[in-house]
């Protein structure tokens, strides 16, 4: 009997994370100085190497600091206080701050380090505006417990090398220093970034349904024979395309916390009547966890439905989004696919491309009559009575076929299915014509345990229009259609 390997109906795909980076570096010669100054008469300044960095302010603890005021590139300053060894928001100490940001700020005020000394303006007068220091790009002022107040002014990124330093000046020191990107990052976050952000979690491994309404209309659900588009028309979805789409869903992240939904002016944010609403439904599942003794316990997890409402633009990079009782921002980069990808972009071009183990039967209606094939899979059992599995632990099955209720040559059916039916692919994209205006040449209905898919062919000149679940997206050549007959 022909062996058929039956796999799990769900495939777990690793998440991929796209990491974006940018780089620039320090000017290591004299040419940069002359260009910035516009003067070629004075001798070049001495620019130290990176290994000769200078610690401007020695190692302090947060307990040695009273407060810090940050003026980011946007210009709206805010203050943080040092309390009990951590930084808190001065206007509201209970305001939850992102640890990553406060840790970065703390490390750059407890120790201030110059990676290089670019030049001494007392010896070589320059226009600070050429360095982005007048006006500055961002600034930090912090006060120590002894009353000392220190100020860091940060300018442009230094161009021309491999290390992305930034110009900065310290208090009234006439020297221009080079600071690391962590220094610039610490003092460039505006107030909207401070609040902790609870990121959404879309578990695509147990995702059952997705619905999009508004500027885009698209919905699809998971079935035992694959993903099925359900709106704006019914059509099977391409597995590979869905893998990418679901990966994008799992990567939706929020960049800022704005406020609780009840405190927001939803109309002003474009959320009273959202531009787009995304609803994702995760199926009921079972959580299995071990205890300290190594015993496993199972807990049922109910169905989870999450709703994202997308509104107006926040700035040139972000849009407002309301989720789970709060308003956030999300980048266009991570969310534009919801607006741009439609049902036609996800359609499966080869509707018979299904592994045989997913099917329980196949029915064919043609001019020769109706033929029903029942596909029966039986678990293989070894001499010891244990189930036979492959090297991956998947159970192996024997396959047998009934034709109109009677046993037939299984190999003949499987060969026809693999060589003639499954490879059928379109010759081109078709205009959707009402099938009732034409006589059906043949219809193939594939049955899963809970779902079915019907592929109908209608002759149209030298081609055959291919309707899948009532929708025509493609046509096939006469040769592709005729190779399906005679049936096994």
């Amino acid at each position: 009997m022909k062996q058929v390997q039956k796999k799990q109906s769900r495939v777990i795909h690793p998440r991929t994370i796209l990491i974006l980076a940018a780089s620039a570096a320090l000017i290591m010669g004299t040419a940069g100085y002359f260009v910035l100054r516009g003067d070629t008469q004075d001798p070049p300044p001495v620019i130290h190497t990176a290994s000769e960095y200078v610690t401007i302010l020695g190692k302090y603890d947060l307990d040695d600091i009273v407060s810090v005021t940050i003026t980011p590139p946007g210009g709206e300053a805010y203050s943080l206080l040092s309390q009990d060894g951590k930084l808190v928001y001065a206007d509201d100490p209970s305001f939850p701050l992102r640890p990553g940001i406060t840790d970065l700020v703390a490390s750059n005020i407890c120790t201030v380090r110059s990676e290089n000394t670019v030049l001494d303006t007392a010896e070589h007068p320059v226009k600070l505006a050429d360095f982005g220091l007048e006006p500055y790009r961002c600034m930090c002022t912090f006060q120590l417990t002894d009353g000392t107040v220190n100020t860091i002014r940060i300018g442009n990124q230094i161009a021309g090398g491999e290390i992305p330093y930034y110009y900065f000046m310290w208090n009234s020191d006439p020297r221009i220093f080079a600071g690391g990107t962590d220094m610039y990052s610490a003092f460039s976050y505006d107030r909207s970034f401070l609040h902790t952000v609870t990121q959404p979690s879309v578990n695509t491994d147990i995702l059952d349904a997705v619905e999009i309404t508004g500027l885009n209309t698209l919905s699809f659900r998971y079935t035992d024979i694959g993903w099925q588009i359900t709106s704006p028309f019914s059509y099977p979805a391409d597995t590979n395309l869905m893998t990418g789409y679901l990966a994008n869903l799992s990567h939706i992240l929020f960049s800022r916390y704005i406020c609780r939904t009840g405190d927001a002016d939803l109309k002003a944010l474009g959320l009273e009547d959202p531009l787009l609403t995304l609803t994702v439904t995760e199926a009921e599942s079972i959580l299995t966890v071990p205890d300290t003794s190594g015993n496993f316990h199972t807990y049922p997890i109910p169905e989870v439905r999450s709703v994202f409402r997308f509104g107006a633009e926040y700035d040139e990079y972000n849009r407002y989004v309301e989720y789970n009782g709060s308003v956030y921002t999300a980048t266009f980069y991570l969310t534009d696919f919801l607006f741009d990808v439609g049902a036609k972009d996800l359609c499966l071009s080869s509707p018979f491309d299904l592994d045989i183990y997913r099917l329980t039967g196949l029915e064919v209606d043609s001019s020769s009559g109706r033929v029903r094939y029942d596909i029966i899979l039986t678990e293989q059992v070894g001499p010891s009575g244990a189930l036979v599995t492959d090297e991956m632990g998947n159970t192996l099955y024997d396959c047998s076929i009934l034709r109109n209720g009677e046993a037939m040559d299984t190999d003949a059916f499987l060969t026809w299915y693999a060589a003639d039916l499954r490879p059928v692919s379109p010759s081109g994209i078709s205009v959707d014509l009402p099938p009732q205006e034409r006589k059906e040449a043949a219809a193939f209905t594939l049955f899963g345990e809970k779902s079915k898919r019907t592929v109908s062919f209608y002759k149209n000149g030298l081609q055959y229009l291919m309707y899948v679940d009532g929708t025509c997206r493609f046509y096939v050549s006469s040769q592709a259609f005729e190779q399906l007959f005679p049936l096994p």
Side-chain angles (χ1 to χ4, degrees):
M1 194 69 68
K2 183 78 172 183
Q3 291 186 356
V4 177
Q5 179 175 321
K6 187 170 184 178
K7 303 177 183 177
Q8 298 297 322
S9 60
R10 294 277 180 131
V11 179
I12 299 176
H13 303 280
R15 296 182 177 185
T16 57
I17 301 177
L18 179 62
I19 303 176
L20 304 177
S23 64
L26 179 66
I27 301 174
M28 301 301 293
T30 59
Y33 167 73
F34 291 133
V35 171
L36 289 172
R37 188 180 177 201
D39 182 356
T40 58
Q41 302 302 315
D42 292 341
V46 175
I47 301 179
H48 299 291
T49 63
S51 61
E52 298 179 7
Y53 65 82
V54 177
T55 298
I56 297 175
L57 183 68
K59 179 64 177 177
Y60 280 80
D61 295 323
L62 276 180
D63 292 337
D64 301 314
I65 295 173
V66 176
S67 64
V68 52
T69 298
I70 295 172
T71 306
E76 184 181 353
Y78 58 88
S79 297
L80 306 175
L81 303 178
S82 176
Q83 291 184 358
D84 301 324
K86 65 178 182 179
L87 293 174
V88 300
Y89 188 43
D91 292 348
D92 180 6
S94 65
F95 192 80
L97 300 178
R98 293 194 195 187
I101 294 179
T102 56
D103 290 348
L104 189 61
V105 171
S107 66
N108 279 277
I109 59 177
C110 289
T111 300
V112 180
R113 191 178 78 171
S114 163
E115 303 293 341
N116 289 285
T117 302
V118 178
L119 57 86
D120 188 337
T121 62
E123 298 178 4
H124 305 280
V126 295
K127 294 181 180 179
L128 295 181
D130 292 336
F131 296 82
L133 291 164
E134 196 175 65
Y136 49 81
R137 294 188 64 180
C138 56
M139 183 177 72
C140 170
T141 299
F142 59 99
Q143 180 180 345
L144 302 178
T145 54
D146 64 6
T148 303
V149 176
N150 297 304
T151 299
I152 301 171
R153 291 176 291 151
I154 302 178
N156 295 334
Q157 189 175 57
I158 303 174
E162 296 180 355
I163 304 177
Y165 294 149
Y166 283 81
Y167 298 113
F168 82 91
M169 298 190 76
W170 169 255
N171 291 337
S172 58
D173 194 311
R175 291 173 294 177
I176 296 177
F177 300 103
T181 55
D182 61 327
M183 176 187 284
Y184 175 78
S185 297
F187 309 136
S188 63
Y189 288 106
D190 63 47
R191 189 193 310 264
S192 67
F193 276 104
L194 295 181
H195 196 287
T196 55
V197 174
T198 301
Q199 296 294 355
S201 175
V202 178
N203 187 349
T204 58
D205 296 329
I206 57 173
L207 196 62
D208 250 11
V210 174
E211 181 183 13
I212 296 173
T213 58
L215 291 182
N216 191 14
T217 299
L218 172 64
S219 63
F220 45 84
R221 61 183 176 85
Y222 188 80
T223 76
D224 55 327
I225 55 175
W227 286 98
Q228 179 76 18
I229 298 169
T230 56
S231 180
F233 52 79
S234 179
Y235 210 91
D238 185 281
T239 300
N240 292 328
L241 296 176
M242 285 301 301
T243 298
Y245 194 94
L246 296 179
N248 287 339
L249 279 179
S250 69
H251 295 154
I252 292 176
L253 299 174
F254 301 140
S255 48
R256 299 173 177 84
Y257 171 89
I258 302 299
C259 63
R260 297 292 298 171
T261 300
D263 299 329
D265 184 344
L266 298 181
K267 184 175 182 179
L269 304 184
L271 293 169
E272 186 174 80
D273 184 16
L275 297 178
L276 183 142
T277 299
L278 164 69
T279 304
V280 296
T281 303
E282 297 175 8
E284 295 180 358
S285 57
I286 301 294
L287 176 65
T288 302
V289 294
D291 60 22
T292 55
S293 301
N295 299 315
F296 287 87
H297 304 271
T298 59
Y299 303 91
I301 306 298
E303 177 183 279
V304 177
R305 179 171 295 181
S306 302
V307 180
F308 301 75
R309 297 178 178 87
F310 295 88
E313 294 183 0
Y314 172 84
D315 57 21
E316 59 182 319
Y317 303 109
N318 298 269
R319 53 171 52 98
Y320 290 104
V321 53
E322 192 274 334
Y323 170 78
N324 199 25
S326 295
V327 177
Y328 304 89
T329 65
T331 64
F332 298 139
Y333 178 76
L334 292 178
T335 58
D336 270 352
F337 77 98
L338 297 170
F339 293 78
D340 299 338
V341 178
K344 292 183 178 180
D345 301 311
L346 298 174
C347 286
L348 176 65
S349 58
S350 302
F352 298 111
D353 188 15
L354 283 169
D355 290 326
I356 196 71
Y357 72 83
R358 288 183 176 269
L359 302 178
T360 62
L362 170 65
E363 192 170 275
V364 182
D365 285 294
S366 66
S367 58
S368 302
R370 177 176 296 178
V371 178
R372 167 78 187 203
Y373 300 94
D374 290 300
I375 303 168
I376 303 170
L377 302 178
T378 306
E379 296 171 333
Q380 293 185 18
V381 180
S384 64
L387 297 178
V388 178
T389 60
D390 64 9
E391 64 278 2
M392 301 298 293
N394 299 311
T395 301
L396 297 180
Y397 290 76
D398 285 325
C399 179
S400 58
I401 306 295
L402 299 181
R403 187 182 193 274
N404 292 334
E406 297 181 0
M408 66 167 292
D409 185 342
T410 298
D411 285 338
F413 176 85
L414 294 179
T415 298
W416 171 80
Y417 183 84
D420 297 323
L421 184 64
R422 186 170 180 176
V424 170
S425 59
S427 301
I429 298 176
S430 174
V431 176
D432 192 348
L433 300 176
Q436 59 269 26
E437 295 184 4
R438 300 171 182 272
K439 183 179 179 181
E440 184 180 79
F444 295 73
T445 302
L446 300 92
F447 295 90
E449 292 182 2
K450 299 179 180 179
S451 308
K452 66 178 182 178
R453 176 183 302 170
T454 299
V455 184
S456 304
F457 295 92
Y458 295 82
K459 188 168 178 58
N460 182 38
L462 299 178
Q463 293 91 26
Y464 284 82
L465 300 177
M466 183 170 63
Y467 282 78
V468 183
D469 295 330
T471 300
C472 182
R473 285 285 296 133
F474 306 100
Y475 65 84
V476 300
S477 65
S478 296
Q479 180 182 0
F481 174 76
E482 292 166 358
Q483 77 178 13
L484 301 178
F485 301 92
L487 300 174

